[in-house]
Amino acid sequence: MTTAVATNKLSGKWIGWLTSLLGGLFVAWCFYDPSTPKVNLYWFGTIMAIGMFAFDLLPNFVTAVLLLMYYILTGIAAPDVAFVGWTTPIPWLCMCGMLIGVLMEKTRLANRIALFTISRVGTTPIRMYIAFLLAGFIVSAIIPDVITVDILFMAIATGMCQSLNLSVTSRSATTIVLAAFFGATISSAAYLPNNTGIIGLLMVKDMGVPFTWLGFYSENLPYQIGHALLAYTILHLFGGRELGEHISRCRACAEAELATLGKMSRDEKKTLVLALLALVAFISEPWHGIPGYFAFCSMVLLGFTPIFNLMEASDLKKVQFPILFFIAGCMAIGIVAGTLGIPAWLAGKLVPYLQQIDSNAGSSMFAYWVGVVANLVLTPVAAATSLSVPMAEIATSLNLGIKPILYSFLYGLDQFFLPYELAPALIMFATGYVRVRYLIGIMLTRMVLASLIVAFVATFIWPMMNL
């Protein structure tokens, strides 16, 4: 039996390798141009690497580093171009975001905030949704790492399901877990820097697109509020009635878990102060003049000093450093593409079609669906780095604002219907309480209807903000 399983697994790996190789060859053949040998090599290596990511043939950071080596050894890019991702703030922001997450988990402060909100607000299914969303906005503001927030929320939701003895096939369990998932991820998407927004904005910064923490929050909040209302409405129609039978016990479970935490410890209070200082440092960039991401990182790293004395060298072992290599590798896809002129070429191909769409809503919906499709074959980080500049150039060609098109594209990257598309979705699905059949139906409905929210915001809200 064990031998058969191992054989099937090996066979699956070979299929993955073959598919990735053929995919790279096919795309390189489709776009082959004898006058641009570097571009031909780029298409082959990049598409093959994407296939390797999709089939999980190697650890993601190994594939990412191999892709960087491929760009250098084949002469597609010089080392200073291939590795320029490390000179951007993004890997360091992610590292410091993870450190804050490690600290919040270590002191259990994030659990306290989430459980307090749920136990005080969640007396009905609708109020429980509000509680998860409010907790998400509070926790996500001080933990700039959506993965960490998602893990914490999944732990709370799983604990509720276990305390209530809910079946993994029940609508109630699915509703609780997805309510927590929406609370963690929708709220996180409204903040810098813990999503693909910071990547997209840094990619187009040289095109004269300014951004600040407060600006990003205010410009994205209208969509995220509409998105949350839509997501929870779909979820309530799906399982609200069944959940209503258990909701009083849900609140009791949260209160019991909160009671076990006891009073706030000294370290919890210091952690809260450190997180808030880091947040204020990022927000107050217009006043102190220091780039917000560097101010944020500096404040987080003060946790190692005697000023706070909260973190130790052992805490660094909990940081997922391979993810940083993966991010830098994915960033290289877009950066190298830019040096080869691929974004301008892609924009030139799409602009004639978009010129027929004479409305902000239509253009934004187009960008949204580009993000949805890109997320099927790319990681969100890779898609944001490789396609943000083309989206910006399309907007410029059509005399439209860059931010509405870019934001709509990023909203599309947040949508999925199969868990493999997003890391937070994999964490949610790994709880074992959500059936694939339920998940696909809910997420596909959300995906389609969310495009209408994009159209509404693009038509009525963003013009009032002069975007």
Side-chain angles (χ1 to χ4, degrees):
M1 182 69 177
T2 304
T3 303
V5 171
T7 302
N8 289 334
K9 188 175 181 179
L10 182 61
S11 176
K13 286 284 187 180
W14 277 110
I15 292 173
W17 279 106
L18 183 61
T19 302
S20 300
L21 176 62
L22 293 178
L25 289 171
F26 177 74
V27 172
W29 174 74
C30 289
F31 297 139
Y32 179 74
D33 184 346
S35 65
T36 55
K38 289 185 179 181
V39 175
N40 300 331
L41 289 170
Y42 171 86
W43 285 122
F44 168 72
T46 302
I47 299 302
M48 184 172 178
I50 290 170
M52 293 166 66
F53 285 134
F55 287 102
D56 197 23
L57 300 178
L58 296 171
N60 282 339
F61 86 95
V62 173
T63 302
V65 174
L66 284 175
L67 180 61
L68 296 178
M69 296 298 105
Y70 171 83
Y71 286 153
I72 295 169
L73 294 176
T74 57
I76 296 173
D80 58 342
V81 174
F83 285 94
V84 75
W86 288 104
T87 67
T88 68
I90 295 171
W92 312 105
L93 279 170
C94 292
M95 181 190 71
C96 289
M98 291 178 191
L99 280 172
I100 281 287
V102 168
L103 184 56
M104 295 283 280
E105 185 177 6
K106 178 181 177 180
T107 62
R108 306 197 71 181
L109 177 59
N111 295 63
R112 182 182 297 278
I113 294 171
L115 290 170
F116 178 84
T117 307
I118 294 164
S119 64
R120 296 297 185 273
V121 182
T123 56
T124 66
I126 292 176
R127 293 190 69 178
M128 191 193 74
Y129 308 148
I130 295 172
F132 271 124
L133 188 63
L134 286 176
F137 272 106
I138 296 170
V139 175
S140 296
I142 55 180
I143 303 182
D145 177 38
V146 65
I147 299 294
T148 301
V149 176
D150 190 40
I151 290 172
L152 292 171
F153 274 51
M154 289 305 100
I156 292 170
T158 301
M160 288 183 173
C161 292
Q162 290 172 346
S163 299
L164 299 173
N165 294 317
L166 297 179
S167 168
V168 295
T169 61
S170 70
R171 286 175 176 258
S172 294
T174 297
T175 303
I176 290 174
V177 171
L178 288 183
F181 174 77
F182 288 147
T185 55
I186 292 176
S187 59
S188 291
Y191 296 110
L192 289 177
N194 69 350
N195 56 34
T196 51
I198 187 69
I199 297 175
L201 287 169
L202 285 173
M203 293 298 293
V204 302
K205 187 177 181 181
D206 292 339
M207 299 177 71
V209 182
F211 67 92
T212 62
W213 190 96
L214 284 174
F216 183 87
Y217 178 75
S218 62
E219 290 158 4
N220 285 275
L221 188 61
Y223 167 80
Q224 298 303 347
I225 293 297
H227 184 198
L229 290 172
L230 170 66
Y232 281 119
T233 298
I234 296 169
L235 190 60
H236 188 64
L237 293 173
F238 165 78
R241 179 180 298 180
E242 185 175 326
L243 179 60
E245 301 172 4
H246 306 284
I247 196 65
S248 60
R249 288 193 292 156
C250 281
R251 184 184 180 190
C253 290
E255 288 180 341
E257 290 187 45
L258 182 62
T260 61
L261 293 179
K263 294 183 179 180
M264 282 189 70
S265 66
R266 179 183 175 85
D267 282 348
E268 281 184 88
K269 294 176 182 177
K270 288 163 61 177
T271 298
L272 181 59
V273 170
L274 178 65
L276 289 176
L277 284 175
L279 179 62
V280 169
F282 205 137
I283 295 173
S284 57
E285 177 182 347
W287 294 282
H288 57 60
I290 302 171
Y293 28 81
F294 292 129
F296 170 82
C297 291
S298 298
M299 293 306 301
V300 172
L301 294 176
L302 285 179
F304 285 98
T305 67
I307 298 174
F308 287 94
N309 197 31
L310 287 169
M311 290 185 277
E312 303 172 348
S314 59
D315 293 323
L316 289 171
K317 297 178 181 178
K318 300 177 183 178
V319 173
Q320 300 296 315
F321 286 103
I323 292 178
L324 304 182
F325 284 89
F326 170 67
I327 290 172
C330 288
M331 288 186 67
I333 293 176
I335 294 168
V336 173
T339 64
L340 298 175
I342 291 175
W345 170 82
L346 182 60
K349 294 289 185 182
L350 294 176
V351 165
Y353 299 99
L354 276 170
Q355 286 175 337
Q356 303 174 27
I357 305 175
D358 190 22
S359 70
N360 290 333
S363 300
S364 295
M365 287 183 71
F366 175 85
Y368 170 85
W369 284 106
V370 169
V372 169
V373 173
N375 204 33
L376 291 171
V377 295
L378 293 170
T379 65
V381 173
T385 53
S386 58
L387 295 177
S388 291
V389 173
M391 290 293 105
E393 291 187 347
I394 287 171
T396 301
S397 301
L398 298 174
N399 294 318
L400 299 174
I402 290 177
K403 282 186 176 180
I405 298 297
L406 179 62
Y407 288 160
S408 300
F409 167 65
L410 296 174
Y411 298 157
L413 292 181
D414 284 336
Q415 298 293 328
F416 73 97
F417 65 92
L418 292 173
Y420 84 89
E421 298 179 59
L422 288 176
L426 284 171
I427 295 168
M428 173 269 296
F429 189 70
T431 63
Y433 280 97
V434 180
R435 298 179 68 178
V436 172
R437 178 163 59 88
Y438 292 157
L439 185 68
I440 291 176
I442 292 171
M443 295 308 174
L444 279 177
T445 304
R446 181 183 71 143
M447 180 186 295
V448 173
L449 295 181
S451 66
L452 302 181
I453 305 293
V454 171
F456 176 83
V457 173
T459 302
F460 299 104
I461 306 298
W462 285 335
M464 291 191 294
M465 295 181 172
N466 296 318
L467 290 184

mmCIF file of all heavy atoms in Angstrom, residues 61 86 91-92 94-96 98-99 304 313-328:
data_model
loop_
_atom_site.group_PDB
_atom_site.id
_atom_site.type_symbol
_atom_site.label_atom_id
_atom_site.label_comp_id
_atom_site.label_asym_id
_atom_site.label_seq_id
_atom_site.Cartn_x
_atom_site.Cartn_y
_atom_site.Cartn_z
ATOM 1 N N PHE A 61 10.784 28.594 -2.206
ATOM 2 C CA PHE A 61 11.952 29.478 -2.207
ATOM 3 C C PHE A 61 13.070 28.900 -3.080
ATOM 4 O O PHE A 61 13.844 29.645 -3.678
ATOM 5 C CB PHE A 61 12.434 29.743 -0.779
ATOM 6 C CG PHE A 61 13.387 28.720 -0.226
ATOM 7 C CD1 PHE A 61 14.751 28.921 -0.297
ATOM 8 C CD2 PHE A 61 12.914 27.553 0.358
ATOM 9 C CE1 PHE A 61 15.630 27.988 0.221
ATOM 10 C CE2 PHE A 61 13.780 26.621 0.873
ATOM 11 C CZ PHE A 61 15.148 26.824 0.815
ATOM 12 N N TRP A 86 15.634 42.621 -3.302
ATOM 13 C CA TRP A 86 16.122 42.709 -1.924
ATOM 14 C C TRP A 86 16.440 44.133 -1.515
ATOM 15 O O TRP A 86 16.565 44.425 -0.320
ATOM 16 C CB TRP A 86 17.358 41.835 -1.751
ATOM 17 C CG TRP A 86 17.056 40.377 -1.755
ATOM 18 C CD1 TRP A 86 17.269 39.489 -2.767
ATOM 19 C CD2 TRP A 86 16.446 39.626 -0.697
ATOM 20 N NE1 TRP A 86 16.834 38.231 -2.406
ATOM 21 C CE2 TRP A 86 16.327 38.285 -1.137
ATOM 22 C CE3 TRP A 86 15.998 39.944 0.585
ATOM 23 C CZ2 TRP A 86 15.784 37.276 -0.351
ATOM 24 C CZ3 TRP A 86 15.447 38.946 1.375
ATOM 25 C CH2 TRP A 86 15.346 37.628 0.905
ATOM 26 N N PRO A 91 10.621 42.897 1.146
ATOM 27 C CA PRO A 91 11.021 41.760 1.989
ATOM 28 C C PRO A 91 11.201 42.141 3.457
ATOM 29 O O PRO A 91 10.872 41.360 4.353
ATOM 30 C CB PRO A 91 12.349 41.301 1.362
ATOM 31 C CG PRO A 91 12.316 41.810 -0.037
ATOM 32 C CD PRO A 91 11.575 43.110 0.044
ATOM 33 N N TRP A 92 11.708 43.354 3.698
ATOM 34 C CA TRP A 92 11.960 43.783 5.075
ATOM 35 C C TRP A 92 10.653 44.114 5.790
ATOM 36 O O TRP A 92 10.509 43.852 6.995
ATOM 37 C CB TRP A 92 12.912 44.990 5.063
ATOM 38 C CG TRP A 92 14.083 44.728 4.180
ATOM 39 C CD1 TRP A 92 14.322 45.248 2.931
ATOM 40 C CD2 TRP A 92 15.144 43.798 4.422
ATOM 41 N NE1 TRP A 92 15.473 44.712 2.407
ATOM 42 C CE2 TRP A 92 16.004 43.830 3.296
ATOM 43 C CE3 TRP A 92 15.466 42.959 5.494
ATOM 44 C CZ2 TRP A 92 17.144 43.046 3.208
ATOM 45 C CZ3 TRP A 92 16.618 42.182 5.405
ATOM 46 C CH2 TRP A 92 17.438 42.240 4.275
ATOM 47 N N CYS A 94 7.843 42.615 5.129
ATOM 48 C CA CYS A 94 7.253 41.307 5.409
ATOM 49 C C CYS A 94 7.904 40.668 6.628
ATOM 50 O O CYS A 94 7.223 40.080 7.476
ATOM 51 C CB CYS A 94 7.396 40.400 4.189
ATOM 52 S SG CYS A 94 6.406 40.903 2.768
ATOM 53 N N MET A 95 9.230 40.779 6.719
ATOM 54 C CA MET A 95 9.932 40.195 7.857
ATOM 55 C C MET A 95 9.479 40.838 9.165
ATOM 56 O O MET A 95 9.192 40.147 10.150
ATOM 57 C CB MET A 95 11.446 40.372 7.692
ATOM 58 C CG MET A 95 12.254 39.757 8.832
ATOM 59 S SD MET A 95 14.006 40.203 8.796
ATOM 60 C CE MET A 95 13.919 41.939 9.258
ATOM 61 N N CYS A 96 9.394 42.169 9.175
ATOM 62 C CA CYS A 96 8.984 42.853 10.399
ATOM 63 C C CYS A 96 7.513 42.594 10.711
ATOM 64 O O CYS A 96 7.124 42.516 11.880
ATOM 65 C CB CYS A 96 9.251 44.353 10.275
ATOM 66 S SG CYS A 96 11.016 44.749 10.313
ATOM 67 N N MET A 98 6.032 39.766 10.085
ATOM 68 C CA MET A 98 6.048 38.433 10.690
ATOM 69 C C MET A 98 6.512 38.502 12.148
ATOM 70 O O MET A 98 5.990 37.788 13.006
ATOM 71 C CB MET A 98 6.976 37.507 9.901
ATOM 72 C CG MET A 98 6.482 37.135 8.518
ATOM 73 S SD MET A 98 7.689 36.084 7.667
ATOM 74 C CE MET A 98 7.018 36.079 6.006
ATOM 75 N N LEU A 99 7.497 39.372 12.422
ATOM 76 C CA LEU A 99 7.993 39.509 13.794
ATOM 77 C C LEU A 99 6.896 40.019 14.733
ATOM 78 O O LEU A 99 6.753 39.534 15.855
ATOM 79 C CB LEU A 99 9.198 40.449 13.827
ATOM 80 C CG LEU A 99 10.541 39.852 13.419
ATOM 81 C CD1 LEU A 99 11.594 40.942 13.302
ATOM 82 C CD2 LEU A 99 10.987 38.786 14.415
ATOM 83 N N PHE A 304 13.677 44.173 20.187
ATOM 84 C CA PHE A 304 14.839 43.392 20.612
ATOM 85 C C PHE A 304 15.694 44.151 21.625
ATOM 86 O O PHE A 304 16.536 43.544 22.289
ATOM 87 C CB PHE A 304 15.713 43.039 19.404
ATOM 88 C CG PHE A 304 15.151 41.961 18.525
ATOM 89 C CD1 PHE A 304 14.460 42.281 17.371
ATOM 90 C CD2 PHE A 304 15.301 40.624 18.850
ATOM 91 C CE1 PHE A 304 13.943 41.289 16.552
ATOM 92 C CE2 PHE A 304 14.796 39.620 18.043
ATOM 93 C CZ PHE A 304 14.104 39.957 16.889
ATOM 94 N N ALA A 313 16.566 36.181 20.261
ATOM 95 C CA ALA A 313 17.083 35.564 19.039
ATOM 96 C C ALA A 313 16.264 34.337 18.649
ATOM 97 O O ALA A 313 16.075 34.051 17.460
ATOM 98 C CB ALA A 313 18.553 35.191 19.230
ATOM 99 N N SER A 314 15.758 33.612 19.635
ATOM 100 C CA SER A 314 14.974 32.408 19.330
ATOM 101 C C SER A 314 13.689 32.738 18.575
ATOM 102 O O SER A 314 13.161 31.897 17.835
ATOM 103 C CB SER A 314 14.632 31.666 20.631
ATOM 104 O OG SER A 314 13.895 32.504 21.510
ATOM 105 N N ASP A 315 13.169 33.964 18.736
ATOM 106 C CA ASP A 315 11.954 34.357 18.031
ATOM 107 C C ASP A 315 12.188 34.455 16.530
ATOM 108 O O ASP A 315 11.251 34.295 15.736
ATOM 109 C CB ASP A 315 11.436 35.697 18.558
ATOM 110 C CG ASP A 315 10.942 35.595 19.996
ATOM 111 O OD1 ASP A 315 10.351 34.553 20.330
ATOM 112 O OD2 ASP A 315 11.169 36.538 20.773
ATOM 113 N N LEU A 316 13.431 34.723 16.140
ATOM 114 C CA LEU A 316 13.744 34.811 14.715
ATOM 115 C C LEU A 316 13.546 33.474 14.011
ATOM 116 O O LEU A 316 13.288 33.426 12.810
ATOM 117 C CB LEU A 316 15.185 35.287 14.517
ATOM 118 C CG LEU A 316 15.459 36.762 14.865
ATOM 119 C CD1 LEU A 316 16.955 37.028 14.826
ATOM 120 C CD2 LEU A 316 14.727 37.680 13.901
ATOM 121 N N LYS A 317 13.677 32.373 14.772
ATOM 122 C CA LYS A 317 13.499 31.049 14.170
ATOM 123 C C LYS A 317 12.052 30.822 13.714
ATOM 124 O O LYS A 317 11.788 29.947 12.894
ATOM 125 C CB LYS A 317 13.905 29.972 15.170
ATOM 126 C CG LYS A 317 15.368 30.020 15.582
ATOM 127 C CD LYS A 317 15.694 28.955 16.623
ATOM 128 C CE LYS A 317 17.148 29.031 17.051
ATOM 129 N NZ LYS A 317 17.482 28.023 18.100
ATOM 130 N N LYS A 318 11.129 31.592 14.266
ATOM 131 C CA LYS A 318 9.723 31.437 13.899
ATOM 132 C C LYS A 318 9.344 32.249 12.667
ATOM 133 O O LYS A 318 8.240 32.129 12.156
ATOM 134 C CB LYS A 318 8.831 31.847 15.078
ATOM 135 C CG LYS A 318 9.062 31.011 16.326
ATOM 136 C CD LYS A 318 8.218 31.504 17.493
ATOM 137 C CE LYS A 318 8.506 30.715 18.756
ATOM 138 N NZ LYS A 318 7.733 31.200 19.931
ATOM 139 N N VAL A 319 10.257 33.110 12.204
ATOM 140 C CA VAL A 319 10.011 33.888 10.993
ATOM 141 C C VAL A 319 10.203 32.978 9.773
ATOM 142 O O VAL A 319 11.203 32.251 9.686
ATOM 143 C CB VAL A 319 10.966 35.094 10.915
ATOM 144 C CG1 VAL A 319 10.820 35.813 9.577
ATOM 145 C CG2 VAL A 319 10.690 36.050 12.059
ATOM 146 N N GLN A 320 9.265 33.013 8.863
ATOM 147 C CA GLN A 320 9.345 32.162 7.671
ATOM 148 C C GLN A 320 10.250 32.806 6.615
ATOM 149 O O GLN A 320 9.779 33.401 5.631
ATOM 150 C CB GLN A 320 7.935 31.934 7.111
ATOM 151 C CG GLN A 320 6.984 31.264 8.076
ATOM 152 C CD GLN A 320 7.441 29.845 8.414
ATOM 153 O OE1 GLN A 320 7.832 29.073 7.539
ATOM 154 N NE2 GLN A 320 7.404 29.503 9.693
ATOM 155 N N PHE A 321 11.563 32.691 6.822
ATOM 156 C CA PHE A 321 12.512 33.315 5.892
ATOM 157 C C PHE A 321 12.402 32.792 4.461
ATOM 158 O O PHE A 321 12.620 33.552 3.509
ATOM 159 C CB PHE A 321 13.946 33.158 6.408
ATOM 160 C CG PHE A 321 14.267 34.049 7.569
ATOM 161 C CD1 PHE A 321 14.312 33.558 8.867
ATOM 162 C CD2 PHE A 321 14.508 35.399 7.372
ATOM 163 C CE1 PHE A 321 14.590 34.385 9.939
ATOM 164 C CE2 PHE A 321 14.797 36.244 8.444
ATOM 165 C CZ PHE A 321 14.839 35.738 9.728
ATOM 166 N N PRO A 322 12.064 31.492 4.247
ATOM 167 C CA PRO A 322 11.883 31.054 2.856
ATOM 168 C C PRO A 322 10.846 31.870 2.095
ATOM 169 O O PRO A 322 10.956 32.050 0.878
ATOM 170 C CB PRO A 322 11.433 29.591 3.015
ATOM 171 C CG PRO A 322 12.071 29.153 4.292
ATOM 172 C CD PRO A 322 12.005 30.367 5.187
ATOM 173 N N ILE A 323 9.832 32.382 2.813
ATOM 174 C CA ILE A 323 8.819 33.197 2.148
ATOM 175 C C ILE A 323 9.447 34.482 1.599
ATOM 176 O O ILE A 323 9.059 34.978 0.531
ATOM 177 C CB ILE A 323 7.673 33.540 3.131
ATOM 178 C CG1 ILE A 323 6.903 32.261 3.480
ATOM 179 C CG2 ILE A 323 6.731 34.584 2.545
ATOM 180 C CD1 ILE A 323 5.782 32.469 4.482
ATOM 181 N N LEU A 324 10.450 35.016 2.291
ATOM 182 C CA LEU A 324 11.103 36.234 1.825
ATOM 183 C C LEU A 324 11.842 35.982 0.517
ATOM 184 O O LEU A 324 11.819 36.822 -0.394
ATOM 185 C CB LEU A 324 12.065 36.763 2.892
ATOM 186 C CG LEU A 324 11.465 37.031 4.281
ATOM 187 C CD1 LEU A 324 12.528 37.604 5.213
ATOM 188 C CD2 LEU A 324 10.285 37.974 4.180
ATOM 189 N N PHE A 325 12.507 34.822 0.413
ATOM 190 C CA PHE A 325 13.174 34.469 -0.847
ATOM 191 C C PHE A 325 12.144 34.278 -1.954
ATOM 192 O O PHE A 325 12.363 34.657 -3.105
ATOM 193 C CB PHE A 325 14.000 33.193 -0.665
ATOM 194 C CG PHE A 325 15.283 33.396 0.082
ATOM 195 C CD1 PHE A 325 15.338 33.290 1.451
ATOM 196 C CD2 PHE A 325 16.450 33.716 -0.608
ATOM 197 C CE1 PHE A 325 16.519 33.495 2.144
ATOM 198 C CE2 PHE A 325 17.649 33.910 0.065
ATOM 199 C CZ PHE A 325 17.684 33.801 1.446
ATOM 200 N N PHE A 326 11.020 33.670 -1.607
ATOM 201 C CA PHE A 326 9.947 33.473 -2.573
ATOM 202 C C PHE A 326 9.431 34.818 -3.078
ATOM 203 O O PHE A 326 9.243 35.021 -4.284
ATOM 204 C CB PHE A 326 8.819 32.673 -1.916
ATOM 205 C CG PHE A 326 7.558 32.610 -2.725
ATOM 206 C CD1 PHE A 326 7.532 31.929 -3.934
ATOM 207 C CD2 PHE A 326 6.400 33.206 -2.277
ATOM 208 C CE1 PHE A 326 6.369 31.866 -4.681
ATOM 209 C CE2 PHE A 326 5.232 33.145 -3.007
ATOM 210 C CZ PHE A 326 5.217 32.473 -4.220
ATOM 211 N N ILE A 327 9.225 35.772 -2.167
ATOM 212 C CA ILE A 327 8.738 37.095 -2.553
ATOM 213 C C ILE A 327 9.739 37.802 -3.457
ATOM 214 O O ILE A 327 9.381 38.378 -4.487
ATOM 215 C CB ILE A 327 8.444 37.934 -1.298
ATOM 216 C CG1 ILE A 327 7.208 37.372 -0.573
ATOM 217 C CG2 ILE A 327 8.233 39.403 -1.654
ATOM 218 C CD1 ILE A 327 6.950 38.009 0.779
ATOM 219 N N ALA A 328 11.019 37.756 -3.070
ATOM 220 C CA ALA A 328 12.048 38.412 -3.883
ATOM 221 C C ALA A 328 12.143 37.778 -5.273
ATOM 222 O O ALA A 328 12.332 38.477 -6.275
ATOM 223 C CB ALA A 328 13.398 38.334 -3.177
#
